[in-house]
Amino acid sequence: MKQVTLGRTGIVTEKNAFGALPIQRVTREYAAMLLRKAFDAGITFFDTARSYSDSEEKIGFALSDVREKLILATKTPSTTAEGFWKDLETSLSLLKTDYIDIYQFHNPSFCPKPGDGTGLYEAMLEAREQGKIRFIGLTNHRLNVAEEAVRSGLYDTLQFPFC
């Protein structure tokens, strides 16, 4: 498989990844079979989100025994620092891991920055200092927010939909 470097993380992984949104629609056992099949076929980058109902739990169930061989990315939709910490702890628990490789703000209506009054970016920095996340990312469907995130230089990755 072709490999790519994810943003400025230095993480090199297969260009193909497993997006976990659809596994919320299937049983835990079927999801586990799909996840293991993907892993056995060489997929090591798995992307999910707190908003994808039980997908984090299914990934933890299916892949926790091979955690050291995976790149895990998940997202928080929270707009408060308190919500951020709750989401992060829930994700860590459900994914059965003590760290997340790329933790992302999930499609916010603005670009979180230090000093913006939300405490969100500061929470990301603290989580990274604590070793709970390795890299800070942002996903967005709004071109202006995505461009602002890139210009800010604050983010290690940007996930943006395009064809």
mmCIF file of all heavy atoms in Angstrom, residues 104-156:
data_model
loop_
_atom_site.group_PDB
_atom_site.id
_atom_site.type_symbol
_atom_site.label_atom_id
_atom_site.label_comp_id
_atom_site.label_asym_id
_atom_site.label_seq_id
_atom_site.Cartn_x
_atom_site.Cartn_y
_atom_site.Cartn_z
ATOM 1 N N GLN A 104 -8.748 15.392 17.781
ATOM 2 C CA GLN A 104 -9.185 16.453 16.892
ATOM 3 C C GLN A 104 -10.454 17.146 17.398
ATOM 4 O O GLN A 104 -11.338 16.505 17.948
ATOM 5 C CB GLN A 104 -9.504 15.844 15.509
ATOM 6 C CG GLN A 104 -8.321 15.108 14.905
ATOM 7 C CD GLN A 104 -8.763 14.135 13.832
ATOM 8 O OE1 GLN A 104 -8.602 14.419 12.659
ATOM 9 N NE2 GLN A 104 -9.322 13.010 14.222
ATOM 10 N N PHE A 105 -10.502 18.454 17.174
ATOM 11 C CA PHE A 105 -11.764 19.167 17.342
ATOM 12 C C PHE A 105 -12.633 18.769 16.152
ATOM 13 O O PHE A 105 -12.185 18.838 15.007
ATOM 14 C CB PHE A 105 -11.541 20.681 17.363
ATOM 15 C CG PHE A 105 -10.784 21.148 18.572
ATOM 16 C CD1 PHE A 105 -9.560 21.782 18.435
ATOM 17 C CD2 PHE A 105 -11.293 20.968 19.847
ATOM 18 C CE1 PHE A 105 -8.855 22.224 19.543
ATOM 19 C CE2 PHE A 105 -10.596 21.414 20.969
ATOM 20 C CZ PHE A 105 -9.381 22.039 20.810
ATOM 21 N N HIS A 106 -13.872 18.355 16.429
ATOM 22 C CA HIS A 106 -14.746 17.794 15.403
ATOM 23 C C HIS A 106 -15.660 18.862 14.791
ATOM 24 O O HIS A 106 -16.677 19.225 15.359
ATOM 25 C CB HIS A 106 -15.582 16.670 15.999
ATOM 26 C CG HIS A 106 -16.223 15.779 15.001
ATOM 27 N ND1 HIS A 106 -16.950 14.683 15.378
ATOM 28 C CD2 HIS A 106 -16.246 15.783 13.652
ATOM 29 C CE1 HIS A 106 -17.401 14.061 14.308
ATOM 30 N NE2 HIS A 106 -16.989 14.718 13.246
ATOM 31 N N ASN A 107 -15.252 19.373 13.646
ATOM 32 C CA ASN A 107 -16.042 20.295 12.840
ATOM 33 C C ASN A 107 -16.586 21.496 13.621
ATOM 34 O O ASN A 107 -17.781 21.809 13.546
ATOM 35 C CB ASN A 107 -17.189 19.541 12.149
ATOM 36 C CG ASN A 107 -17.771 20.310 10.990
ATOM 37 O OD1 ASN A 107 -17.101 21.107 10.344
ATOM 38 N ND2 ASN A 107 -19.041 20.079 10.721
ATOM 39 N N PRO A 108 -15.717 22.201 14.354
ATOM 40 C CA PRO A 108 -16.215 23.372 15.094
ATOM 41 C C PRO A 108 -16.597 24.506 14.141
ATOM 42 O O PRO A 108 -16.091 24.589 13.023
ATOM 43 C CB PRO A 108 -15.020 23.767 15.959
ATOM 44 C CG PRO A 108 -13.830 23.299 15.189
ATOM 45 C CD PRO A 108 -14.271 22.021 14.510
ATOM 46 N N SER A 109 -17.459 25.387 14.619
ATOM 47 C CA SER A 109 -17.882 26.529 13.800
ATOM 48 C C SER A 109 -16.851 27.651 13.800
ATOM 49 O O SER A 109 -17.019 28.644 13.107
ATOM 50 C CB SER A 109 -19.227 27.059 14.305
ATOM 51 O OG SER A 109 -19.092 27.498 15.651
ATOM 52 N N PHE A 110 -15.788 27.460 14.599
ATOM 53 C CA PHE A 110 -14.710 28.441 14.694
ATOM 54 C C PHE A 110 -13.407 27.674 14.869
ATOM 55 O O PHE A 110 -13.412 26.474 15.137
ATOM 56 C CB PHE A 110 -14.940 29.386 15.881
ATOM 57 C CG PHE A 110 -14.894 28.671 17.209
ATOM 58 C CD1 PHE A 110 -13.731 28.686 17.972
ATOM 59 C CD2 PHE A 110 -15.989 27.954 17.671
ATOM 60 C CE1 PHE A 110 -13.679 27.994 19.191
ATOM 61 C CE2 PHE A 110 -15.942 27.271 18.884
ATOM 62 C CZ PHE A 110 -14.785 27.287 19.634
ATOM 63 N N CYS A 111 -12.298 28.371 14.752
ATOM 64 C CA CYS A 111 -10.989 27.747 14.920
ATOM 65 C C CYS A 111 -10.508 27.980 16.352
ATOM 66 O O CYS A 111 -10.139 29.104 16.699
ATOM 67 C CB CYS A 111 -10.000 28.354 13.922
ATOM 68 S SG CYS A 111 -8.341 27.671 14.058
ATOM 69 N N PRO A 112 -10.542 26.941 17.205
ATOM 70 C CA PRO A 112 -10.063 27.133 18.578
ATOM 71 C C PRO A 112 -8.602 27.568 18.621
ATOM 72 O O PRO A 112 -7.756 27.012 17.916
ATOM 73 C CB PRO A 112 -10.241 25.746 19.207
ATOM 74 C CG PRO A 112 -11.328 25.101 18.404
ATOM 75 C CD PRO A 112 -11.083 25.595 17.002
ATOM 76 N N LYS A 113 -8.352 28.595 19.437
ATOM 77 C CA LYS A 113 -7.004 29.153 19.571
ATOM 78 C C LYS A 113 -6.743 29.497 21.030
ATOM 79 O O LYS A 113 -7.684 29.757 21.785
ATOM 80 C CB LYS A 113 -6.874 30.425 18.733
ATOM 81 C CG LYS A 113 -6.983 30.218 17.248
ATOM 82 C CD LYS A 113 -6.864 31.551 16.529
ATOM 83 C CE LYS A 113 -7.008 31.354 15.035
ATOM 84 N NZ LYS A 113 -7.035 32.625 14.328
ATOM 85 N N PRO A 114 -5.483 29.569 21.412
ATOM 86 C CA PRO A 114 -5.170 29.999 22.780
ATOM 87 C C PRO A 114 -5.728 31.401 23.035
ATOM 88 O O PRO A 114 -5.659 32.276 22.166
ATOM 89 C CB PRO A 114 -3.644 30.017 22.812
ATOM 90 C CG PRO A 114 -3.209 29.147 21.680
ATOM 91 C CD PRO A 114 -4.280 29.258 20.633
ATOM 92 N N GLY A 115 -6.310 31.576 24.210
ATOM 93 C CA GLY A 115 -6.805 32.895 24.582
ATOM 94 C C GLY A 115 -8.139 33.284 23.985
ATOM 95 O O GLY A 115 -8.563 34.429 24.134
ATOM 96 N N ASP A 116 -8.839 32.346 23.308
ATOM 97 C CA ASP A 116 -10.122 32.712 22.693
ATOM 98 C C ASP A 116 -11.290 32.701 23.681
ATOM 99 O O ASP A 116 -12.419 32.990 23.319
ATOM 100 C CB ASP A 116 -10.436 31.827 21.488
ATOM 101 C CG ASP A 116 -10.695 30.364 21.841
ATOM 102 O OD1 ASP A 116 -10.811 30.031 23.039
ATOM 103 O OD2 ASP A 116 -10.766 29.542 20.909
ATOM 104 N N GLY A 117 -11.010 32.349 24.938
ATOM 105 C CA GLY A 117 -12.049 32.353 25.960
ATOM 106 C C GLY A 117 -12.748 31.021 26.167
ATOM 107 O O GLY A 117 -13.484 30.858 27.139
ATOM 108 N N THR A 118 -12.542 30.047 25.273
ATOM 109 C CA THR A 118 -13.206 28.748 25.423
ATOM 110 C C THR A 118 -12.394 27.779 26.274
ATOM 111 O O THR A 118 -12.953 26.859 26.863
ATOM 112 C CB THR A 118 -13.433 28.078 24.060
ATOM 113 O OG1 THR A 118 -12.163 27.733 23.472
ATOM 114 C CG2 THR A 118 -14.242 28.964 23.120
ATOM 115 N N GLY A 119 -11.078 27.957 26.310
ATOM 116 C CA GLY A 119 -10.206 27.037 27.019
ATOM 117 C C GLY A 119 -9.951 25.741 26.275
ATOM 118 O O GLY A 119 -9.249 24.853 26.772
ATOM 119 N N LEU A 120 -10.504 25.611 25.071
ATOM 120 C CA LEU A 120 -10.379 24.360 24.320
ATOM 121 C C LEU A 120 -8.945 24.069 23.893
ATOM 122 O O LEU A 120 -8.442 22.952 24.108
ATOM 123 C CB LEU A 120 -11.296 24.380 23.091
ATOM 124 C CG LEU A 120 -12.782 24.251 23.388
ATOM 125 C CD1 LEU A 120 -13.611 24.592 22.157
ATOM 126 C CD2 LEU A 120 -13.109 22.853 23.888
ATOM 127 N N TYR A 121 -8.300 25.042 23.285
ATOM 128 C CA TYR A 121 -6.939 24.781 22.817
ATOM 129 C C TYR A 121 -6.003 24.547 24.001
ATOM 130 O O TYR A 121 -5.127 23.678 23.960
ATOM 131 C CB TYR A 121 -6.421 25.899 21.902
ATOM 132 C CG TYR A 121 -5.230 25.427 21.115
ATOM 133 C CD1 TYR A 121 -5.399 24.725 19.925
ATOM 134 C CD2 TYR A 121 -3.934 25.624 21.584
ATOM 135 C CE1 TYR A 121 -4.304 24.244 19.220
ATOM 136 C CE2 TYR A 121 -2.839 25.146 20.881
ATOM 137 C CZ TYR A 121 -3.029 24.464 19.697
ATOM 138 O OH TYR A 121 -1.954 23.978 19.004
ATOM 139 N N GLU A 122 -6.219 25.303 25.069
ATOM 140 C CA GLU A 122 -5.403 25.118 26.268
ATOM 141 C C GLU A 122 -5.590 23.705 26.838
ATOM 142 O O GLU A 122 -4.630 23.081 27.313
ATOM 143 C CB GLU A 122 -5.760 26.164 27.333
ATOM 144 C CG GLU A 122 -5.335 27.583 26.972
ATOM 145 C CD GLU A 122 -6.336 28.347 26.102
ATOM 146 O OE1 GLU A 122 -7.291 27.747 25.558
ATOM 147 O OE2 GLU A 122 -6.158 29.571 25.961
ATOM 148 N N ALA A 123 -6.819 23.176 26.758
ATOM 149 C CA ALA A 123 -7.078 21.805 27.213
ATOM 150 C C ALA A 123 -6.316 20.808 26.340
ATOM 151 O O ALA A 123 -5.752 19.833 26.859
ATOM 152 C CB ALA A 123 -8.577 21.517 27.191
ATOM 153 N N MET A 124 -6.280 21.045 25.043
ATOM 154 C CA MET A 124 -5.505 20.176 24.144
ATOM 155 C C MET A 124 -4.035 20.171 24.562
ATOM 156 O O MET A 124 -3.411 19.111 24.633
ATOM 157 C CB MET A 124 -5.606 20.645 22.692
ATOM 158 C CG MET A 124 -6.803 20.151 21.946
ATOM 159 S SD MET A 124 -6.691 18.433 21.432
ATOM 160 C CE MET A 124 -7.975 18.431 20.190
ATOM 161 N N LEU A 125 -3.496 21.356 24.809
ATOM 162 C CA LEU A 125 -2.083 21.433 25.202
ATOM 163 C C LEU A 125 -1.834 20.682 26.509
ATOM 164 O O LEU A 125 -0.835 19.962 26.632
ATOM 165 C CB LEU A 125 -1.661 22.900 25.345
ATOM 166 C CG LEU A 125 -1.605 23.723 24.061
ATOM 167 C CD1 LEU A 125 -1.299 25.179 24.386
ATOM 168 C CD2 LEU A 125 -0.584 23.156 23.086
ATOM 169 N N GLU A 126 -2.737 20.841 27.467
ATOM 170 C CA GLU A 126 -2.575 20.156 28.741
ATOM 171 C C GLU A 126 -2.677 18.639 28.568
ATOM 172 O O GLU A 126 -1.910 17.880 29.170
ATOM 173 C CB GLU A 126 -3.617 20.642 29.752
ATOM 174 C CG GLU A 126 -3.413 20.049 31.135
ATOM 175 C CD GLU A 126 -4.378 20.586 32.173
ATOM 176 O OE1 GLU A 126 -4.937 21.691 31.983
ATOM 177 O OE2 GLU A 126 -4.585 19.888 33.176
ATOM 178 N N ALA A 127 -3.620 18.187 27.741
ATOM 179 C CA ALA A 127 -3.759 16.743 27.483
ATOM 180 C C ALA A 127 -2.498 16.188 26.835
ATOM 181 O O ALA A 127 -2.052 15.082 27.162
ATOM 182 C CB ALA A 127 -4.983 16.490 26.601
ATOM 183 N N ARG A 128 -1.899 16.968 25.950
ATOM 184 C CA ARG A 128 -0.644 16.533 25.320
ATOM 185 C C ARG A 128 0.482 16.477 26.353
ATOM 186 O O ARG A 128 1.254 15.518 26.382
ATOM 187 C CB ARG A 128 -0.275 17.452 24.154
ATOM 188 C CG ARG A 128 0.927 16.946 23.376
ATOM 189 C CD ARG A 128 1.176 17.751 22.141
ATOM 190 N NE ARG A 128 1.546 19.113 22.506
ATOM 191 C CZ ARG A 128 1.648 20.106 21.646
ATOM 192 N NH1 ARG A 128 1.396 19.922 20.359
ATOM 193 N NH2 ARG A 128 1.987 21.315 22.055
ATOM 194 N N GLU A 129 0.562 17.477 27.208
ATOM 195 C CA GLU A 129 1.582 17.482 28.266
ATOM 196 C C GLU A 129 1.416 16.289 29.202
ATOM 197 O O GLU A 129 2.399 15.747 29.701
ATOM 198 C CB GLU A 129 1.517 18.789 29.059
ATOM 199 C CG GLU A 129 2.037 19.995 28.301
ATOM 200 C CD GLU A 129 1.781 21.311 29.025
ATOM 201 O OE1 GLU A 129 1.504 21.291 30.247
ATOM 202 O OE2 GLU A 129 1.840 22.365 28.362
ATOM 203 N N GLN A 130 0.180 15.875 29.436
ATOM 204 C CA GLN A 130 -0.099 14.729 30.298
ATOM 205 C C GLN A 130 0.143 13.385 29.592
ATOM 206 O O GLN A 130 0.041 12.336 30.224
ATOM 207 C CB GLN A 130 -1.551 14.769 30.795
ATOM 208 C CG GLN A 130 -1.850 15.891 31.746
ATOM 209 C CD GLN A 130 -3.321 15.914 32.162
ATOM 210 O OE1 GLN A 130 -4.091 14.999 31.880
ATOM 211 N NE2 GLN A 130 -3.715 16.984 32.834
ATOM 212 N N GLY A 131 0.432 13.415 28.294
ATOM 213 C CA GLY A 131 0.659 12.188 27.544
ATOM 214 C C GLY A 131 -0.608 11.475 27.107
ATOM 215 O O GLY A 131 -0.554 10.340 26.640
ATOM 216 N N LYS A 132 -1.752 12.143 27.227
ATOM 217 C CA LYS A 132 -3.018 11.526 26.837
ATOM 218 C C LYS A 132 -3.280 11.627 25.341
ATOM 219 O O LYS A 132 -4.067 10.854 24.793
ATOM 220 C CB LYS A 132 -4.179 12.137 27.618
ATOM 221 C CG LYS A 132 -4.091 11.800 29.105
ATOM 222 C CD LYS A 132 -5.239 12.371 29.882
ATOM 223 C CE LYS A 132 -5.099 11.948 31.341
ATOM 224 N NZ LYS A 132 -6.253 12.346 32.139
ATOM 225 N N ILE A 133 -2.645 12.600 24.701
ATOM 226 C CA ILE A 133 -2.711 12.720 23.243
ATOM 227 C C ILE A 133 -1.310 13.000 22.737
ATOM 228 O O ILE A 133 -0.466 13.534 23.465
ATOM 229 C CB ILE A 133 -3.682 13.831 22.778
ATOM 230 C CG1 ILE A 133 -3.181 15.214 23.197
ATOM 231 C CG2 ILE A 133 -5.086 13.570 23.287
ATOM 232 C CD1 ILE A 133 -3.968 16.363 22.589
ATOM 233 N N ARG A 134 -1.051 12.618 21.497
ATOM 234 C CA ARG A 134 0.258 12.897 20.906
ATOM 235 C C ARG A 134 0.223 14.135 20.015
ATOM 236 O O ARG A 134 1.149 14.931 20.038
ATOM 237 C CB ARG A 134 0.732 11.689 20.099
ATOM 238 C CG ARG A 134 1.051 10.486 20.976
ATOM 239 C CD ARG A 134 1.487 9.281 20.173
ATOM 240 N NE ARG A 134 2.641 9.611 19.344
ATOM 241 C CZ ARG A 134 2.910 9.018 18.178
ATOM 242 N NH1 ARG A 134 2.124 8.070 17.697
ATOM 243 N NH2 ARG A 134 3.969 9.372 17.491
ATOM 244 N N PHE A 135 -0.845 14.279 19.226
ATOM 245 C CA PHE A 135 -0.916 15.377 18.264
ATOM 246 C C PHE A 135 -2.297 16.014 18.290
ATOM 247 O O PHE A 135 -3.297 15.379 18.616
ATOM 248 C CB PHE A 135 -0.592 14.879 16.851
ATOM 249 C CG PHE A 135 0.809 14.336 16.749
ATOM 250 C CD1 PHE A 135 1.031 12.966 16.756
ATOM 251 C CD2 PHE A 135 1.903 15.188 16.684
ATOM 252 C CE1 PHE A 135 2.322 12.454 16.681
ATOM 253 C CE2 PHE A 135 3.187 14.689 16.615
ATOM 254 C CZ PHE A 135 3.397 13.310 16.614
ATOM 255 N N ILE A 136 -2.331 17.293 17.909
ATOM 256 C CA ILE A 136 -3.555 18.096 17.928
ATOM 257 C C ILE A 136 -4.039 18.305 16.497
ATOM 258 O O ILE A 136 -3.286 18.778 15.638
ATOM 259 C CB ILE A 136 -3.289 19.459 18.597
ATOM 260 C CG1 ILE A 136 -2.838 19.247 20.045
ATOM 261 C CG2 ILE A 136 -4.524 20.355 18.524
ATOM 262 C CD1 ILE A 136 -2.342 20.504 20.736
ATOM 263 N N GLY A 137 -5.310 17.957 16.276
ATOM 264 C CA GLY A 137 -5.873 18.110 14.942
ATOM 265 C C GLY A 137 -7.222 18.807 14.972
ATOM 266 O O GLY A 137 -7.811 19.049 16.027
ATOM 267 N N LEU A 138 -7.699 19.117 13.789
ATOM 268 C CA LEU A 138 -8.996 19.749 13.618
ATOM 269 C C LEU A 138 -9.616 19.176 12.361
ATOM 270 O O LEU A 138 -8.929 18.979 11.356
ATOM 271 C CB LEU A 138 -8.832 21.269 13.484
ATOM 272 C CG LEU A 138 -10.117 22.076 13.329
ATOM 273 C CD1 LEU A 138 -10.075 23.296 14.242
ATOM 274 C CD2 LEU A 138 -10.321 22.513 11.906
ATOM 275 N N THR A 139 -10.908 18.855 12.434
ATOM 276 C CA THR A 139 -11.651 18.465 11.236
ATOM 277 C C THR A 139 -12.627 19.587 10.943
ATOM 278 O O THR A 139 -13.100 20.268 11.858
ATOM 279 C CB THR A 139 -12.430 17.148 11.434
ATOM 280 O OG1 THR A 139 -13.532 17.371 12.305
ATOM 281 C CG2 THR A 139 -11.525 16.068 11.988
ATOM 282 N N ASN A 140 -12.918 19.809 9.677
ATOM 283 C CA ASN A 140 -13.869 20.849 9.363
ATOM 284 C C ASN A 140 -14.436 20.690 7.974
ATOM 285 O O ASN A 140 -13.773 20.186 7.076
ATOM 286 C CB ASN A 140 -13.262 22.243 9.533
ATOM 287 C CG ASN A 140 -14.276 23.194 10.109
ATOM 288 O OD1 ASN A 140 -15.051 23.778 9.375
ATOM 289 N ND2 ASN A 140 -14.309 23.303 11.427
ATOM 290 N N HIS A 141 -15.682 21.146 7.816
ATOM 291 C CA HIS A 141 -16.355 21.154 6.525
ATOM 292 C C HIS A 141 -16.522 22.587 6.027
ATOM 293 O O HIS A 141 -17.124 22.797 4.989
ATOM 294 C CB HIS A 141 -17.737 20.495 6.632
ATOM 295 C CG HIS A 141 -17.666 19.033 6.920
ATOM 296 N ND1 HIS A 141 -18.532 18.128 6.377
ATOM 297 C CD2 HIS A 141 -16.824 18.295 7.689
ATOM 298 C CE1 HIS A 141 -18.248 16.910 6.790
ATOM 299 N NE2 HIS A 141 -17.210 16.995 7.599
ATOM 300 N N ARG A 142 -16.000 23.553 6.777
ATOM 301 C CA ARG A 142 -16.096 24.966 6.405
ATOM 302 C C ARG A 142 -14.724 25.424 5.919
ATOM 303 O O ARG A 142 -13.768 25.450 6.695
ATOM 304 C CB ARG A 142 -16.522 25.804 7.612
ATOM 305 C CG ARG A 142 -17.871 25.465 8.170
ATOM 306 C CD ARG A 142 -18.045 26.119 9.544
ATOM 307 N NE ARG A 142 -19.251 25.712 10.190
ATOM 308 C CZ ARG A 142 -19.393 24.620 10.937
ATOM 309 N NH1 ARG A 142 -18.370 23.804 11.128
ATOM 310 N NH2 ARG A 142 -20.550 24.328 11.495
ATOM 311 N N LEU A 143 -14.645 25.819 4.678
ATOM 312 C CA LEU A 143 -13.361 26.203 4.095
ATOM 313 C C LEU A 143 -12.708 27.329 4.883
ATOM 314 O O LEU A 143 -11.499 27.286 5.146
ATOM 315 C CB LEU A 143 -13.533 26.602 2.629
ATOM 316 C CG LEU A 143 -12.252 26.943 1.876
ATOM 317 C CD1 LEU A 143 -11.264 25.783 1.915
ATOM 318 C CD2 LEU A 143 -12.568 27.340 0.449
ATOM 319 N N ASN A 144 -13.471 28.326 5.312
ATOM 320 C CA ASN A 144 -12.869 29.458 6.026
ATOM 321 C C ASN A 144 -12.246 29.016 7.353
ATOM 322 O O ASN A 144 -11.178 29.490 7.737
ATOM 323 C CB ASN A 144 -13.881 30.588 6.237
ATOM 324 C CG ASN A 144 -15.042 30.181 7.135
ATOM 325 O OD1 ASN A 144 -15.606 29.092 6.985
ATOM 326 N ND2 ASN A 144 -15.428 31.051 8.044
ATOM 327 N N VAL A 145 -12.880 28.087 8.078
ATOM 328 C CA VAL A 145 -12.327 27.606 9.344
ATOM 329 C C VAL A 145 -11.085 26.751 9.072
ATOM 330 O O VAL A 145 -10.068 26.877 9.769
ATOM 331 C CB VAL A 145 -13.376 26.820 10.160
ATOM 332 C CG1 VAL A 145 -12.762 26.213 11.416
ATOM 333 C CG2 VAL A 145 -14.550 27.731 10.526
ATOM 334 N N ALA A 146 -11.158 25.913 8.052
ATOM 335 C CA ALA A 146 -10.005 25.076 7.699
ATOM 336 C C ALA A 146 -8.805 25.942 7.315
ATOM 337 O O ALA A 146 -7.677 25.694 7.761
ATOM 338 C CB ALA A 146 -10.373 24.140 6.555
ATOM 339 N N GLU A 147 -9.032 26.968 6.508
ATOM 340 C CA GLU A 147 -7.936 27.868 6.111
ATOM 341 C C GLU A 147 -7.373 28.609 7.319
ATOM 342 O O GLU A 147 -6.155 28.777 7.431
ATOM 343 C CB GLU A 147 -8.422 28.852 5.050
ATOM 344 C CG GLU A 147 -8.648 28.202 3.702
ATOM 345 C CD GLU A 147 -9.227 29.142 2.667
ATOM 346 O OE1 GLU A 147 -9.886 30.158 3.042
ATOM 347 O OE2 GLU A 147 -9.036 28.866 1.469
ATOM 348 N N GLU A 148 -8.234 29.030 8.237
ATOM 349 C CA GLU A 148 -7.779 29.721 9.441
ATOM 350 C C GLU A 148 -6.915 28.790 10.294
ATOM 351 O O GLU A 148 -5.897 29.209 10.853
ATOM 352 C CB GLU A 148 -8.975 30.227 10.245
ATOM 353 C CG GLU A 148 -8.577 31.061 11.445
ATOM 354 C CD GLU A 148 -9.780 31.615 12.209
ATOM 355 O OE1 GLU A 148 -10.921 31.522 11.733
ATOM 356 O OE2 GLU A 148 -9.546 32.142 13.315
ATOM 357 N N ALA A 149 -7.318 27.529 10.391
ATOM 358 C CA ALA A 149 -6.548 26.549 11.160
ATOM 359 C C ALA A 149 -5.156 26.364 10.557
ATOM 360 O O ALA A 149 -4.154 26.330 11.283
ATOM 361 C CB ALA A 149 -7.287 25.221 11.211
ATOM 362 N N VAL A 150 -5.086 26.277 9.247
ATOM 363 C CA VAL A 150 -3.783 26.126 8.575
ATOM 364 C C VAL A 150 -2.924 27.365 8.811
ATOM 365 O O VAL A 150 -1.758 27.264 9.189
ATOM 366 C CB VAL A 150 -3.974 25.854 7.064
ATOM 367 C CG1 VAL A 150 -2.646 25.944 6.327
ATOM 368 C CG2 VAL A 150 -4.623 24.489 6.845
ATOM 369 N N ARG A 151 -3.498 28.533 8.613
ATOM 370 C CA ARG A 151 -2.749 29.786 8.805
ATOM 371 C C ARG A 151 -2.269 29.962 10.239
ATOM 372 O O ARG A 151 -1.216 30.537 10.490
ATOM 373 C CB ARG A 151 -3.600 30.999 8.401
ATOM 374 C CG ARG A 151 -3.700 31.225 6.906
ATOM 375 C CD ARG A 151 -4.325 32.585 6.566
ATOM 376 N NE ARG A 151 -5.596 32.814 7.223
ATOM 377 C CZ ARG A 151 -6.788 32.473 6.732
ATOM 378 N NH1 ARG A 151 -6.863 31.869 5.571
ATOM 379 N NH2 ARG A 151 -7.896 32.729 7.400
ATOM 380 N N SER A 152 -3.037 29.435 11.199
ATOM 381 C CA SER A 152 -2.689 29.621 12.612
ATOM 382 C C SER A 152 -1.403 28.896 12.994
ATOM 383 O O SER A 152 -0.735 29.301 13.946
ATOM 384 C CB SER A 152 -3.830 29.127 13.508
ATOM 385 O OG SER A 152 -3.850 27.707 13.578
ATOM 386 N N GLY A 153 -1.086 27.824 12.299
ATOM 387 C CA GLY A 153 0.100 27.034 12.642
ATOM 388 C C GLY A 153 -0.056 26.238 13.926
ATOM 389 O O GLY A 153 0.908 25.659 14.423
ATOM 390 N N LEU A 154 -1.262 26.179 14.466
ATOM 391 C CA LEU A 154 -1.499 25.514 15.750
ATOM 392 C C LEU A 154 -1.764 24.019 15.625
ATOM 393 O O LEU A 154 -1.669 23.294 16.608
ATOM 394 C CB LEU A 154 -2.701 26.155 16.456
ATOM 395 C CG LEU A 154 -2.551 27.608 16.867
ATOM 396 C CD1 LEU A 154 -3.899 28.174 17.328
ATOM 397 C CD2 LEU A 154 -1.512 27.728 17.976
ATOM 398 N N TYR A 155 -2.102 23.560 14.446
ATOM 399 C CA TYR A 155 -2.590 22.196 14.283
ATOM 400 C C TYR A 155 -1.597 21.307 13.547
ATOM 401 O O TYR A 155 -0.999 21.705 12.554
ATOM 402 C CB TYR A 155 -3.955 22.210 13.573
ATOM 403 C CG TYR A 155 -4.990 22.870 14.454
ATOM 404 C CD1 TYR A 155 -5.261 24.227 14.366
ATOM 405 C CD2 TYR A 155 -5.641 22.139 15.420
ATOM 406 C CE1 TYR A 155 -6.162 24.836 15.217
ATOM 407 C CE2 TYR A 155 -6.548 22.735 16.287
ATOM 408 C CZ TYR A 155 -6.805 24.077 16.172
ATOM 409 O OH TYR A 155 -7.686 24.664 17.031
ATOM 410 N N ASP A 156 -1.472 20.074 14.062
ATOM 411 C CA ASP A 156 -0.586 19.093 13.439
ATOM 412 C C ASP A 156 -1.241 18.455 12.223
ATOM 413 O O ASP A 156 -0.559 18.050 11.285
ATOM 414 C CB ASP A 156 -0.205 18.005 14.449
ATOM 415 C CG ASP A 156 0.532 18.583 15.640
ATOM 416 O OD1 ASP A 156 1.518 19.314 15.430
ATOM 417 O OD2 ASP A 156 0.116 18.322 16.793
#
